[in-house]
Amino acid sequence: MKKKLVSCLISFTLLSSLSTPLLAKAQENTEGIKGSLVIAGGGVGTSNHDIYEKFLLLAGGKEKAKVGIIPAASTTLQSSEKFKEDLVKYGVNSDSIQILPVSNHDFSDTQKDESTWKNQVNDKKLSRTIKGLTAVWFVGGDQTKIVDSLRQNNGNDSEALKAIWDIYRKGAVIGGTSAGAAIMSDVMITGGDSLGALKESIGNKENKHVNENQHNKKEYEPLSVQKGLGFFQHGIIDQHMDERARLGRLAVAAYNAERDKEKNFAYGVDEDTAMVVNNKDQKVEVVGRSGVAVLDMSKAKLISKQKVRSGLENIKVSYLSPGDKINYHLKSFEFPNDKVETKGFEYYSFNALPATGVFTPYGRLKAYLSYSLIDNESMKSAKSYVYDSQGSGYEIAFQKNSDTNGYWRYTDGQKDDYSIVNVRMDITPKTVKFQPDKKTSLTYKKPTFSSSESPAYDSIKGNLLIAGGALGSSNSSVYNKFITLAGGKQAKIGIVPAASTKFDSSNQFKSDLVKYGVKAENIEILPISNHDFKGTSENESNWKANMNSDKLAQKVKGLTGIWFVGGDQTLITGSLRNENGSDSKVLQAIWHTYKNGAVLGGTSAGAAIMSNTMLAGGDSYGALSYGFTDTYDDMTQQEGGPAYLEKGLGFFQYGLVDQHFDNKARLGRLIATAHEKGNKNQFAYGIDEDTAMVVNNSGKQIEVVGRGGITLVDLAKVQANDKFPSDYKNILISCITPGDKVNMTTKEIVINPGKTSTRKNEYYSEKIGPNTGLFSPHGVLRKFLAYDLIDNAQSKEIKSYTFNQNKGFELTFRKSPESNGYWAYTDGQKDDYSIVKVALDIKPINVDIK
């Protein structure tokens, strides 16, 4: 669908603005710097080759690099030692890496008292050591500790900091993650969240003494800033942008830093992502796995709708992806030639719901703007909200303007990669009130779909690998698992292309299998389809007759693995079932192969077909509000509205399966479907993207493999209101991650023994406001439950909302007597949580927004 190549340069007209500095510059003489910066947003995985290799390239190459690690931000030396270990894995000699004695505090995991290091920052020996380095890396933690460790009590630079500046000017690379990114700009953000920044840090200075929410003052945190180290002189930098939803606080910080409005962008770096600054070319390159938000505040204005609270309007939001470049002097963007414009060539056409909480599809900022606005011809504007538990907050409106555009390509297999340019953002004060809905006007329709049970097979020798969609070619754990279950590199694999409208995904999967060691001659794209494919001379709709081909059925019986690609799941069932609903000969052959030991796998649509009742359409709000529909409208129905069910192929015998679970927020539709059509003694399973549920039929066990998680829905103890639809109490939710296992018959959850229980050992102790949309931290369900409830000593329950106009649902997640969390680091120092038996209540509500 993406047809037109982009112009590679987008320019901005600079407007004059106020020039009063928020803070004095850290360094005035920054011209002629030969060095570079690698500014990472936090959560950098050890497997993130692009960031590590870029850092080492700029450091002179792995053989010549001499790296100093500054541990000052952390309370332990663990992250510094881990970064050193990672550099060694990437080829740097261990003797060429030093953890520098820079700290203003003791570390909890050593016998020494490192607080004495504060006195060494003017030591000539340390300065000489630094001057011999080609790279310096600042680990994460508390950015104020870095600054305090490197600056003297009178605010002057220490000799150590002067030495870092010296090597930076001469060509060294300076890098850092999380806190180590925050220190890079002149204005260093030290605290606050988006709601707190908006409520207490813009406008109405005469009312600063007013605290409209004193009894809830810990629910949000005001913006705080101080002077950073200033290695990057061209705008404010914030980090953990996507996971902690910091766009609002960055906008406020940039607005208050008035001298930056005309001259500079403001930058928000996502986790596992870095902005690489080339001072000589005056460009920033995005490297890693997510993106960098870019704010242009040059036309932003303060608006006041209420006496107490003000808002901001006419902010330009752009979001760049790996491979994109920013010319920070010209305030322009460059995109790779293989990205194509979305403007005038939008792929989607559906009415996107406002982003109101953890039941919102594409509920993280970049994904929401991409799918719900930029690449959606039906949408000219979209909204989200942020407010406290009293309903006091803001409406965030995003709007397409004449200069708005998007740029798209596939990345890492067939994952969508979007860049976004010039979306207008207005932030307006609003008060949101919720009342119980006693008499709903919504017409809820129960499902008329009736599916006879597939015959149960007690002796299935084969296995299933059910992937949630967006499977990356680099996801070696999933590919290797599928190949192993298919018999290893001698496997004979058939690919069923029927779900797609093109052969791209089938060809890509074949190419991936070959890359992982399967012989190309042992892989065949099977002629199974009921429709024509784009870009071929053959009319593949004629393949419909193949479903009863004896020759094809015999070929299928000789396979050790069968893979169903993604697309539209109804096209798969329509290609393998006869008009009367009976199994075709090829489907019978697939069952024969499966029962005798073959592995069946599939992604996205290829996962949806696995259970007996197949979820083919609808979203969480639509299913809870309107129930079920008997009609199917292809893409529109896949992206929203009431749930649509069909009979699946029934290979998975132990409950319902749903996919794209995290990105499309499908918990509500899975609950509604499981309540109406599921077996209350079985789990219902929601599989995240880039993740697989591996089903061992003989062992009656499920294992999680990949990069995300699986959500388990247990309705065994649910209480439902028969007179009022979608009014539920005591739904039990569990979330498991790679290495965890589940017994499908007993429902016993076995957590990876390397994880530590959080119960009575919670890391956080904070008052949490409701999750309200794109400005709320932890927008994905599992992260929301982990950080805000399970690993938070103060939280007994947390809330989120899903609504459209004046109708919606209140979601209350509660710690049950059986609730527990389990935590470990994964892929470097990323948090990995498993969650067991959180209770969920769903209550219909009326919504009033003023």
Side-chain angles (χ1 to χ4, degrees):
M1 289 291 179
K2 314 294 183 181
K3 299 175 183 177
K4 194 165 71 173
L5 294 177
V6 310
S7 155
C8 286
L9 191 64
I10 310 294
S11 296
F12 289 83
T13 303
L14 305 183
L15 300 179
S16 62
S17 68
L18 300 177
S19 58
T20 305
L22 178 67
L23 295 167
K25 280 193 175 184
Q27 289 278 331
E28 294 294 340
N29 181 18
T30 58
E31 299 300 322
I33 294 175
K34 296 179 181 179
S36 303
L37 300 172
V38 175
I39 307 172
V44 177
T46 302
S47 64
N48 196 324
H49 300 274
D50 292 343
I51 291 179
Y52 278 95
E53 289 173 357
K54 178 67 77 170
F55 179 70
L56 291 177
L57 177 66
L58 294 171
K62 60 187 178 182
E63 279 131 16
K64 295 182 180 179
K66 294 181 179 179
V67 184
I69 302 170
I70 294 183
S74 184
T75 57
T76 70
L77 282 180
Q78 181 182 16
S79 53
S80 298
E81 290 166 348
K82 184 67 174 71
F83 187 71
K84 179 176 180 177
E85 180 184 314
D86 289 344
L87 292 178
V88 172
K89 287 180 181 176
Y90 279 93
V92 182
N93 189 306
S94 178
D95 294 337
S96 298
I97 310 166
Q98 299 182 60
I99 298 175
L100 301 174
V102 177
S103 177
N104 66 349
H105 60 280
D106 190 24
F107 292 99
S108 62
D109 57 347
T110 69
Q111 298 297 316
K112 296 180 181 179
D113 180 5
E114 289 85 6
S115 63
T116 60
W117 286 357
K118 172 69 174 174
N119 301 322
Q120 297 184 39
V121 291
N122 289 311
D123 184 80
K124 291 182 179 179
K125 181 180 179 182
L126 177 60
S127 295
R128 284 196 301 270
T129 298
I130 293 171
K131 288 181 179 180
L133 300 174
T134 63
V136 173
W137 183 268
F138 295 88
V139 300
D142 181 347
Q143 48 264 51
T144 63
K145 292 178 179 177
I146 300 175
V147 174
D148 186 61
S149 298
L150 285 169
R151 283 223 174 93
Q152 301 181 84
N153 294 333
N154 61 6
N156 292 334
D157 291 357
S158 66
E159 293 301 316
L161 183 52
K162 290 177 182 177
I164 294 171
W165 268 102
D166 182 62
I167 64 170
Y168 176 42
R169 286 193 176 95
K170 291 177 179 177
V173 59
I174 310 298
T177 183
S178 187
I183 54 100
M184 295 287 181
S185 52
D186 253 347
V187 177
M188 179 176 75
I189 299 176
T190 58
D193 53 40
S194 287
L195 180 58
L198 289 165
K199 274 180 166 287
E200 299 194 12
S201 304
I202 54 170
N204 297 311
K205 294 180 181 179
E206 69 275 15
N207 292 327
K208 281 295 181 183
H209 64 281
V210 176
N211 185 350
E212 58 178 307
N213 195 26
Q214 289 185 7
H215 63 289
N216 268 339
K217 60 185 178 181
K218 291 186 179 179
E219 203 173 279
Y220 52 83
E221 183 185 358
L223 172 71
S224 58
V225 300
Q226 72 175 56
K227 186 177 176 182
L229 297 186
F231 299 120
F232 183 69
Q233 288 282 308
H234 309 285
I236 298 173
I237 291 170
D238 208 349
Q239 15 78 47
H240 297 282
M241 178 56 52
D242 55 345
E243 178 59 36
R244 300 186 190 177
R246 286 173 166 171
L247 191 71
R249 88 168 188 179
L250 179 60
V252 172
Y255 180 82
N256 287 342
E258 294 177 337
R259 66 178 172 80
D260 277 350
K261 285 183 185 177
E262 179 181 349
K263 291 173 56 181
N264 298 316
F265 286 141
Y267 303 85
V269 190
D270 288 350
E271 294 185 354
D272 218 8
T273 307
M275 50 185 282
V276 178
V277 180
N278 184 318
N279 286 294
K280 181 179 178 181
D281 293 343
Q282 297 185 322
K283 289 183 180 180
V284 170
E285 180 183 4
V286 182
V287 174
R289 289 185 175 142
S290 188
V292 174
V294 182
L295 294 184
D296 184 354
M297 305 296 294
S298 59
K299 295 182 182 179
K301 294 188 297 183
L302 192 70
I303 55 174
S304 182
K305 298 292 185 181
Q306 299 179 11
K307 290 182 180 180
V308 176
R309 288 180 287 130
S310 299
L312 291 169
E313 66 179 0
N314 207 19
I315 302 165
K316 283 188 175 180
V317 179
S318 300
Y319 224 116
L320 274 66
S321 297
D324 299 342
K325 293 183 179 180
I326 307 160
N327 187 312
Y328 52 75
H329 177 66
L330 298 176
K331 293 181 80 174
S332 63
F333 302 138
E334 300 173 20
F335 301 102
N337 289 328
D338 62 344
K339 283 192 174 178
V340 293
E341 278 187 86
T342 62
K343 190 173 185 176
F345 300 91
E346 291 86 356
Y347 182 78
Y348 295 96
S349 181
F350 65 94
N351 292 320
L353 292 172
T356 58
V358 294
F359 272 21
T360 301
Y362 315 112
R364 306 266 286 267
L365 180 70
K366 181 183 172 186
Y368 183 77
L369 292 180
S370 298
Y371 295 102
S372 298
L373 184 64
I374 291 298
D375 204 13
N376 190 340
E377 66 179 356
S378 297
M379 300 292 290
K380 304 301 180 188
S381 62
K383 293 180 179 178
S384 186
Y385 298 87
V386 62
Y387 45 82
D388 61 26
S389 58
Q390 308 305 304
S392 173
Y394 299 84
E395 177 184 87
I396 304 105
F398 299 96
Q399 181 178 314
K400 290 178 181 174
N401 282 342
S402 59
D403 58 350
T404 303
N405 209 340
Y407 302 91
W408 170 94
R409 68 177 173 187
Y410 278 135
T411 184
D412 190 14
Q414 290 202 320
K415 295 183 181 181
D416 290 322
D417 178 32
Y418 282 99
S419 303
I420 299 162
V421 173
N422 292 342
V423 171
R424 173 174 172 149
M425 179 173 71
D426 299 326
I427 304 171
T428 308
K430 295 286 184 180
T431 299
V432 185
K433 293 186 177 180
F434 303 110
Q435 296 291 334
D437 188 354
K438 299 297 185 184
K439 188 176 180 181
T440 184
S441 59
L442 299 175
T443 304
Y444 182 92
K445 181 180 177 182
K446 285 185 170 288
T448 58
F449 164 79
S450 178
S451 175
S452 58
E453 291 295 319
S454 291
Y457 295 98
D458 293 329
S459 58
I460 295 176
K461 296 178 182 177
N463 301 291
L464 300 172
L465 189 146
I466 310 173
L471 180 62
S473 297
S474 65
N475 196 329
S476 58
S477 59
V478 171
Y479 278 93
N480 287 331
K481 190 72 171 180
F482 180 74
I483 292 168
T484 298
L485 293 173
K489 294 179 180 179
Q490 302 302 315
K492 295 182 178 179
I493 296 171
I495 301 170
V496 177
S500 187
T501 58
K502 300 182 293 184
F503 280 112
D504 289 7
S505 52
S506 298
N507 289 328
Q508 178 68 55
F509 189 72
K510 179 176 180 178
S511 173
D512 290 342
L513 291 176
V514 172
K515 183 180 72 174
Y516 283 100
V518 181
K519 294 180 180 178
E521 59 268 27
N522 287 355
I523 309 166
E524 182 174 351
I525 298 173
L526 301 173
I528 297 172
S529 176
N530 65 352
H531 59 279
D532 192 24
F533 285 84
K534 297 175 183 177
T536 69
S537 58
E538 185 176 357
N539 183 358
E540 288 83 8
S541 62
N542 294 327
W543 286 0
K544 186 170 183 178
N546 289 347
M547 71 169 74
N548 286 304
S549 162
D550 289 325
K551 182 178 179 181
L552 183 57
Q554 195 61 36
K555 178 178 290 186
V556 166
K557 288 181 180 180
L559 299 174
T560 62
I562 298 171
W563 184 264
F564 298 86
V565 301
D568 183 340
Q569 47 264 51
T570 64
L571 297 178
I572 300 176
T573 55
S575 301
L576 286 171
R577 281 223 172 88
N578 297 309
E579 295 290 338
N580 63 5
S582 63
D583 291 358
S584 67
K585 290 183 179 179
V586 169
L587 182 53
Q588 291 174 27
I590 293 172
W591 268 104
H592 173 86
T593 305
Y594 174 43
K595 286 191 292 180
N596 284 282
V599 58
L600 307 184
T603 184
S604 187
I609 54 100
M610 293 290 180
S611 51
N612 192 55
T613 297
M614 180 175 76
L615 287 85
D619 67 352
S620 287
Y621 179 81
L624 292 172
S625 300
Y626 306 109
F628 299 81
T629 180
D630 297 328
T631 61
Y632 182 61
D633 188 19
D634 193 23
M635 179 193 298
T636 302
Q637 189 63 15
Q638 285 189 36
E639 296 300 327
Y644 175 71
L645 307 178
E646 280 194 8
K647 181 176 173 59
L649 299 184
F651 301 125
F652 180 62
Q653 307 261 309
Y654 300 96
L656 298 169
V657 170
D658 207 349
Q659 18 78 43
H660 294 283
F661 207 70
D662 51 351
N663 204 29
K664 298 194 178 184
R666 285 174 165 170
L667 179 62
R669 89 167 189 180
L670 183 59
I671 288 169
T673 306
H675 182 257
E676 298 287 357
K677 303 301 297 182
N679 181 339
K680 302 294 191 297
N681 294 317
Q682 295 176 332
F683 283 136
Y685 302 84
I687 309 171
D688 289 351
E689 294 184 352
D690 216 8
T691 308
M693 181 169 94
V694 179
V695 180
N696 181 323
N697 284 296
S698 60
K700 303 293 188 290
Q701 191 175 70
I702 285 169
E703 179 183 4
V704 189
V705 176
R707 292 179 175 143
I710 296 174
T711 300
L712 311 173
V713 176
D714 188 350
L715 299 182
K717 299 179 181 179
V718 71
Q719 300 170 34
N721 186 342
D722 294 334
K723 297 181 180 179
F724 210 97
S726 300
D727 186 347
Y728 299 110
K729 291 182 180 179
N730 212 35
I731 302 165
L732 291 181
I733 306 294
S734 300
C735 302
I736 56 176
T737 58
D740 299 338
K741 298 178 180 179
V742 178
N743 185 296
M744 296 180 291
T745 55
T746 66
K747 298 199 292 188
E748 179 188 6
I749 300 171
V750 180
I751 302 298
N752 183 336
K755 292 180 180 176
T756 302
S757 171
T758 63
R759 190 166 186 169
K760 296 183 179 180
N761 189 33
E762 292 86 356
Y763 183 81
Y764 300 96
S765 183
E766 302 171 355
K767 189 160 190 176
I768 300 297
N771 188 293
T772 61
L774 303 180
F775 277 17
S776 290
H778 318 307
V780 175
L781 177 71
R782 179 163 53 91
K783 299 291 185 70
F784 175 54
L785 296 181
Y787 291 105
D788 290 351
L789 181 64
I790 285 297
D791 205 12
N792 188 344
Q794 278 200 49
S795 288
K796 304 301 179 188
E797 66 177 36
I798 52 176
K799 293 182 183 293
S800 182
Y801 295 89
T802 180
F803 57 86
N804 187 24
Q805 297 181 342
N806 64 343
K807 292 289 184 181
F809 300 90
E810 179 184 73
L811 316 173
T812 304
F813 298 89
R814 299 180 283 107
K815 287 178 179 173
S816 74
E818 301 171 290
S819 294
N820 205 344
Y822 300 88
W823 170 90
Y825 277 136
T826 184
D827 189 15
Q829 291 197 322
K830 295 182 181 181
D831 291 321
D832 178 29
Y833 283 99
S834 301
I835 299 157
V836 174
K837 296 184 179 179
V838 166
L840 167 62
D841 302 334
I842 301 177
K843 202 77 178 172
I845 53 171
N846 292 313
V847 185
D848 183 24
I849 302 174
K850 293 182 180 179

